[in-house]
Amino acid sequence: MRSTQIRSTFLDYFTSRGHRQVPSSPLIPYDPTLLLANAGMNQFKPYFLGEVTPENRRATSIQKCARTSDIDNVGRTNRHATFFEMMGNFSFGDYFKADAIAYAWELLTEGYGLEKDRLWITVYEDDDEAEQLWRKIGVPSERIQRLGMEDNYWSMGVPGPCGPCSEVNYDRGPDFGREGGPAVDGERYVEIWNLVFMQYQRGEGDKKGNFPILGELAQQSIDTGLGLDRLAAILQDVENVCTTDLLMPTLNTVQELASRAYPGSADEKVSFQVVTEHARSIAYLIADGVLPAKDGRGYVLRRLMRRAIRHARLLCIDQPVLAPTTASVIANLGDVWPELTDQANLIEQVVTAEEESFTRTLAQGTRLLNAAITRTRESRSGSLQGETAFELADTFGFPLELTVEAAHDAGLTVDEDRFATLLDEQKKRAKTGGKAKTADALRRQDTYRELSAHLPRTDFLGYEHLTAEVTVLGLISGGTVTASAPEGSDIEFVLDRSPFYAEAGGQIGDTGTLRTDDGTLLRITDTRYGLEGFRVHSARVVEGELRTGARGEAAVDADRRKGLMRSHSATHILHAVVRATLGDHARQQGSLVESDRLRFDFAHFSAVTPEQLTRIEAAVNGHVLDDPAVRAWHADRAEAEAAGAIALFGEKYGDTVRIVDIGDFSRELCGGTHVAHGSQVGAFRLLSEGSIGSNLRRIEALTGHGALRHHDVERRILEEVSSLLGTRPKQAAETLHKRLGSFAAAEKEVSRRREADLRSQAQQLASSSRQVPGGRIVSQRVPGLAASDLRSLATSTADRLSNDRAVVVLGTEHDGKALLVAAITPGVLGSGTSASHILASAARTVGGGAGGTGPIANAGGRRVEALDEALSIAVQEATRALDQ
């Protein structure tokens, strides 16, 4: 059964049983506690927690998932992967264990035709109900095993919904391992479907993975996950995912690049599978907006890339490997996942740039490693220091595995324990701040959940109204729910209805005021989402006392909101223009929409040229002047995508989405506020463009009044410069260019004359040299010279005495400091004396130190009054040096 049929069979089965088909969410999750989407239930978390009521209490999806917790097992087992498609069915307070088990059994045995006697079941160790249900459906007790929390209890890995689970495992036969069921051998008895019985909510875990159960969820729900990779391997009767139709084309590409057949030796088999499997993960991550970086999800991607490149080198592939392998992934799976095809250019450019960069890293790291190996051998040590291995990995990105391999070839070991200690210390330092922020965020979320449990969603009025009669439904002070807040306190509160836009999609939250009927006045400083659909207003009580239940008028700062609308619409226009100018890959990766100012981040691989920036600014202003209509409309997600609406990476969208059209050139999913016509943006002024990370660029610009104010400042500066030059603004540049040319010519002439004077002085000084035992000495205080001129004079004087053994010592006073310079001829230098040695004592006399190597040295200090004494001391040192 081909993978396309496996998918359709699953979705058809559950949609025919009342499940709403939901598209996969992006790999960049909305949930801030997750790095990457790692399970089908991620996007349904608010439903499981009871924060949001779903439109349908049954759902089914095929979710893109990325997990790297078992990355080291990829290629070494038949079942581990860093990317996979998780087919799932979900119940939000509808059916529970009995139906979930019945559905799974029927689909596996009848829909997919798996032999019943090859299916084994595991249940949580104290889940009697689940075991009885499996036995009732026909599974004999000898093929049901009870396992502990590590195997049969599921959570997201972070605080949230959790519960015991039951897994369906398939016996692949004695060729794959030992008898005894999944409790004995996970390779032979492969887990294919996990049925999670969502009943509880977990808290923060400890270092050992233990976590407290905070209590039962408001409703019992079902979350299941059937791995497409593993099921495809079984139904297609192949060994592992790399030989299914999901990845076989990519494996073929790797074989062609390696000029050898899979599997090869045991080590080669691992490398073949790593390169193949990682290529798929890389393509999907980039398609969903992840770019290589030093931390976070970007580091996950970079690690996958570097691991794939390293294993390609182990297969003796000495040509680029990521571009052709990810291209094969796109060709094979792009019809099912259109984002792969849509982002093909982006994927190619990212992997090509990263591979070129890492190839240079490998070359540099190899040189440094070879030097470290030589030093280790010379010290007669048999082990390369862990500090060396860590520096290679941390500073140069050189993988530990390569260090170990190279050391082994040289007959050395690596102190991997010390390496692990250093790595752990680094991780702890990095996590210190992050943990505090996460803990604070979780505490706030708990408080918001406490309020939202008995409050309705906020009715947002801000698209049409900037003022509204409102009621205060909830109040938070000091992080806890309270009934009142006195004058002067900083608080958060929730309204029944609100004209205030909550920060989202790059647009910052509204500010304004709330005046209650009893005269209490609040200055609202920010608005944001506490939970989905739950607006939280931050404010200070300026007058009076605020109480829960108070009624009054909320008013948005209208001028600020207008500026935000101008900037948000300008951001959409800029996005369309950047893509039209640079290519479709230059999609928005982030933005900040402020009043009359915007910041726009996008994917690109080189600096945008000045000519391109000029075209971009002109095109944006051209669209503004054309005064296109701005229209917002709603549709379901599929309809919006079919209409060409752009969804932004990392944003969460519901089943019904809001689309914003600007003319016929921009169509994006967007919940923000916008102007009614393009001309209301007023003006657009591009300020800067630059890199903010690997393959990531940023444009900063001004809009509306901000652009006009900037223009006014520039105009006044031009007028002032023109006045100083005594010309008109139009001629200012030409006049200034001529003046600068004259200044440059004058400076050149002054420099020529100064050099001539120095040459003349050097000739005079050389002629005044006096004979001492062993050579000649020039010593003089020269007034009016800067340090560089004094050094040039000493060098030029010594050059004229180069045929003799001679020392030149000069001093001067400049900017309140005593300056000294010593220069020696080759004859003196050859005897082992350096110029800095001659100045050492003299430098201390003026309160400083001597610097320089070989034939020239300089010194300086604040004791100007001791300059003559210092010159005398230097002459004494020179005399002794010449007499040796």
Side-chain angles (χ1 to χ4, degrees):
M1 187 180 288
R2 303 282 294 175
S3 56
T4 52
Q5 188 179 350
I6 297 174
R7 294 189 193 92
S8 62
T9 299
F10 185 89
L11 293 175
D12 290 346
Y13 178 86
F14 283 104
T15 54
S16 68
R17 286 157 180 78
H19 292 67
R20 179 173 57 91
Q21 183 176 333
V22 179
S24 172
S25 66
L27 286 170
I28 299 178
Y30 177 75
D31 189 335
T33 65
L34 290 174
L35 195 64
L36 293 165
N38 63 3
M41 62 78 60
N42 289 167
Q43 64 176 316
F44 303 122
K45 181 179 175 182
Y47 299 163
F48 288 117
L49 290 173
E51 298 170 353
V52 178
T53 302
E55 295 178 11
N56 192 315
R57 291 159 67 87
R58 297 184 175 200
T60 184
S61 70
I62 299 179
Q63 173 66 45
K64 297 175 291 186
C65 296
R67 295 182 193 171
T68 56
S69 55
D70 293 317
I71 189 171
D72 292 330
N73 288 324
V74 173
R76 302 186 185 280
T77 72
N78 293 318
R79 55 195 172 94
H80 286 101
T82 57
F83 173 90
F84 52 92
E85 297 177 43
M86 185 66 82
M87 304 186 293
N89 60 289
F90 308 90
S91 163
F92 314 115
D94 188 8
Y95 60 84
F96 200 48
K97 292 183 183 181
D99 287 335
I101 288 171
Y103 285 150
W105 185 257
E106 182 180 37
L107 179 56
L108 288 175
T109 59
E110 298 181 21
Y112 292 121
L114 297 183
E115 304 95 319
K116 295 179 180 180
D117 59 1
R118 299 185 76 167
L119 295 177
W120 287 65
I121 308 300
T122 62
V123 298
Y124 185 53
E125 56 191 0
D126 62 4
D127 194 346
D128 297 333
E129 180 186 5
E131 180 179 358
Q132 290 300 321
L133 288 169
W134 282 113
R135 290 177 64 180
K136 182 178 179 181
I137 215 166
V139 182
S141 57
E142 60 268 21
R143 292 212 309 274
I144 302 175
Q145 297 181 327
R146 292 186 182 233
L147 298 175
M149 180 167 283
E150 182 177 351
D151 296 293
N152 275 84
Y153 202 98
W154 194 92
S155 80
M156 296 169 61
V158 294
C162 64
C165 62
S166 180
E167 296 176 350
V168 183
N169 305 265
Y170 182 81
D171 180 4
R172 302 212 67 186
D175 290 344
F176 287 83
R178 299 171 295 163
E179 292 185 2
V184 173
D185 194 326
E187 283 296 293
R188 172 173 171 172
Y189 302 90
V190 180
E191 175 211 333
I192 54 175
W193 204 340
N194 188 10
L195 314 180
V196 181
F197 310 128
M198 288 290 191
Q199 296 175 256
Y200 306 106
Q201 184 174 346
R202 61 159 283 188
E204 188 71 50
D206 60 23
K207 293 180 180 179
K208 296 181 180 179
N210 302 313
F211 52 81
I213 299 299
L214 303 180
E216 291 194 2
L217 296 171
Q219 57 189 12
Q220 294 181 332
S221 299
I222 289 295
D223 156 35
T224 85
L226 172 59
L228 175 62
D229 286 0
R230 297 182 182 182
L231 184 58
I234 292 168
L235 295 177
Q236 295 171 18
D237 194 24
V238 295
E239 185 182 43
N240 57 59
V241 63
C242 290
T243 48
T244 66
D245 67 329
L246 290 163
L247 279 176
M248 193 65 207
T250 304
L251 179 58
N252 289 335
T253 300
V254 180
Q255 292 181 82
E256 292 172 5
L257 292 169
S259 298
R260 68 186 71 190
Y262 172 84
S265 67
D267 289 340
E268 288 175 339
K269 180 182 179 182
V270 171
S271 294
F272 270 118
Q273 293 181 203
V274 168
V275 177
T276 300
E277 196 280 333
H278 285 8
R280 179 177 61 169
S281 301
I282 292 164
Y284 277 89
L285 285 167
I286 297 173
D288 271 9
V290 182
L291 293 174
K294 293 181 179 179
D295 53 17
R297 58 181 66 96
Y299 176 74
V300 172
L301 173 60
R302 177 162 284 167
R303 184 185 180 195
L304 288 167
M305 288 178 161
R306 293 185 168 186
R307 199 164 186 265
I309 295 167
R310 186 178 77 83
H311 278 276
R313 299 298 181 267
L314 294 177
L315 290 171
C316 300
I317 300 175
D318 57 2
Q319 58 184 301
V321 68
L322 296 183
T325 53
T326 53
S328 71
V329 172
I330 296 168
N332 185 40
L333 298 170
D335 288 342
V336 179
W337 300 99
E339 57 267 38
L340 291 173
T341 303
D342 294 342
Q343 300 302 321
N345 289 337
L346 175 67
I347 294 167
E348 180 184 9
Q349 293 184 58
V350 169
V351 300
T352 298
E354 188 70 13
E355 185 159 6
E356 289 174 352
S357 173
F358 187 52
T359 298
R360 292 191 294 272
T361 294
L362 285 175
Q364 183 181 24
T366 299
R367 289 194 297 271
L368 295 170
L369 178 57
N370 290 339
I373 288 173
T374 300
R375 290 195 303 271
T376 304
R377 281 174 162 173
E378 290 174 350
S379 67
R380 296 186 178 180
S381 171
S383 178
L384 195 70
Q385 291 184 341
E387 285 81 359
T388 300
F390 181 75
E391 181 184 8
L392 284 167
D394 185 52
T395 305
F396 302 101
F398 199 81
L400 174 64
E401 301 97 316
L402 284 185
T403 300
V404 172
E405 183 180 331
H408 177 75
D409 292 343
L412 303 173
T413 60
V414 176
D415 187 349
E416 295 187 57
D417 290 340
R418 178 58 179 161
F419 176 92
T421 298
L422 293 169
L423 183 62
D424 186 57
E425 291 174 356
Q426 183 195 58
K427 289 180 178 178
K428 287 178 180 177
R429 288 193 298 270
K431 286 182 178 179
T432 300
K435 281 187 174 179
K437 291 180 181 178
T438 300
D440 180 62
L442 291 171
R443 283 193 296 270
R444 295 169 73 93
Q445 291 290 306
D446 287 341
T447 304
Y448 298 150
R449 288 193 185 98
E450 181 184 345
L451 272 180
S452 67
H454 61 274
L455 296 181
R457 293 168 62 119
T458 309
D459 184 12
F460 177 57
L461 311 173
Y463 291 133
E464 294 84 18
H465 305 285
L466 296 183
T467 61
E469 293 297 322
V470 300
T471 301
V472 178
L473 298 183
L475 185 56
I476 301 171
S477 179
T480 59
V481 178
T482 185
S484 63
E487 184 174 309
S489 57
D490 293 316
I491 61 167
E492 295 177 318
F493 63 89
V494 178
L495 300 172
D496 61 335
R497 55 211 301 261
S498 174
F500 290 83
Y501 180 81
E503 180 175 346
Q507 181 176 333
I508 60 176
D510 279 334
T511 62
T513 59
L514 171 64
R515 171 74 74 174
T516 66
D517 293 344
D518 64 3
T520 299
L521 175 65
L522 283 83
R523 183 183 301 111
I524 298 173
T525 57
D526 191 19
T527 309
R528 52 195 166 72
Y529 284 108
L531 300 170
E532 185 179 353
F534 188 72
R535 278 177 166 76
V536 176
H537 307 75
S538 299
R540 165 160 284 206
V541 183
V542 179
E543 298 175 10
E545 181 181 33
L546 182 68
R547 294 181 177 277
T548 302
R551 293 181 56 80
E553 182 181 66
V556 175
D557 183 332
D559 288 339
R560 182 174 179 273
R561 164 71 85 79
K562 289 176 183 177
L564 291 168
M565 293 162 65
R566 285 190 288 265
S567 292
H568 203 154
S569 297
T571 300
H572 281 225
I573 297 172
L574 176 62
H575 188 191
V577 169
V578 166
R579 293 181 68 212
T581 304
L582 304 178
D584 286 343
H585 69 274
R587 294 176 65 120
Q588 179 176 331
Q589 301 294 312
S591 69
L592 177 63
V593 176
E594 296 181 310
S595 183
D596 296 333
R597 173 182 287 271
L598 66 87
R599 190 176 71 207
F600 178 78
D601 300 339
F602 60 101
H604 197 51
F605 310 97
S606 61
V608 184
T609 67
E611 294 78 13
Q612 288 172 325
L613 290 174
T614 299
R615 290 208 310 272
I616 288 170
E617 184 180 64
V620 172
N621 281 310
H623 283 307
V624 169
L625 291 173
D626 287 341
D627 195 26
V630 180
R631 181 174 73 97
W633 52 288
H634 291 81
D636 62 49
R637 180 70 182 273
E639 181 184 353
E641 291 180 350
I646 296 175
L648 301 184
F649 294 133
E651 292 294 322
K652 184 178 182 181
Y653 304 101
D655 299 323
T656 300
V657 294
R658 181 172 182 261
I659 303 102
V660 173
D661 289 346
I662 301 182
D664 60 359
F665 58 87
S666 173
R667 172 169 288 173
E668 295 188 21
L669 303 188
C670 180
T673 62
H674 289 269
V675 298
H677 292 273
S679 61
Q680 292 174 344
V681 170
F684 175 87
R685 183 60 188 272
L686 200 154
L687 292 179
S688 64
E689 187 277 339
S691 172
I692 57 169
S694 179
N695 308 318
L696 199 59
R697 312 293 299 180
R698 171 171 291 170
I699 283 176
E700 298 198 43
L702 298 173
T703 60
H705 294 300
L708 295 176
R709 285 191 295 268
H710 186 77
H711 173 77
D712 191 49
V713 169
E714 288 184 328
R715 178 180 57 80
R716 289 199 300 269
I717 292 172
L718 177 59
E719 289 175 348
E720 184 176 352
V721 170
S722 301
S723 177
L724 291 172
L725 291 171
T727 188
R728 300 177 66 180
K730 285 186 177 181
Q731 282 77 50
E734 181 182 355
T735 302
L736 181 59
H737 181 73
K738 290 179 180 178
R739 295 277 180 90
L740 291 175
S742 299
F743 290 149
E747 286 182 339
K748 187 175 182 180
E749 177 61 20
V750 169
S751 178
R752 186 189 64 78
R753 293 186 179 186
R754 184 172 64 250
E755 290 173 359
D757 290 343
L758 288 175
R759 287 196 299 270
S760 177
Q761 278 186 281
Q763 185 61 49
Q764 294 174 11
L765 288 171
S767 300
S768 67
S769 64
R770 66 180 186 277
Q771 186 71 42
V772 296
R776 306 186 70 82
I777 289 180
V778 175
S779 174
Q780 188 166 324
R781 180 169 177 163
V782 186
L785 293 184
S788 59
D789 289 340
L790 190 68
R791 187 181 178 94
S792 296
L793 181 59
T795 301
S796 184
T797 303
D799 288 344
R800 285 163 171 74
L801 298 170
S802 59
N803 292 330
D804 297 314
R805 298 181 75 250
V807 177
V808 179
V809 181
L810 304 179
T812 192
E813 177 186 348
H814 184 72
D815 285 344
K817 290 182 65 178
L819 303 178
L820 294 164
V821 174
I824 61 178
T825 60
V828 180
L829 185 63
S831 65
T833 299
S834 67
S836 61
H837 172 74
I838 291 171
L839 283 188
S841 297
R844 289 192 291 273
T845 301
V846 295
T853 58
I856 186 75
N858 51 271
R862 290 291 180 186
R863 296 188 61 209
V864 177
E865 69 278 5
L867 178 59
D868 291 332
E869 180 186 354
L871 281 169
S872 178
I873 291 172
V875 168
Q876 294 174 19
E877 290 291 345
T879 302
R880 281 193 288 270
L882 290 171
D883 195 31
Q884 290 179 356

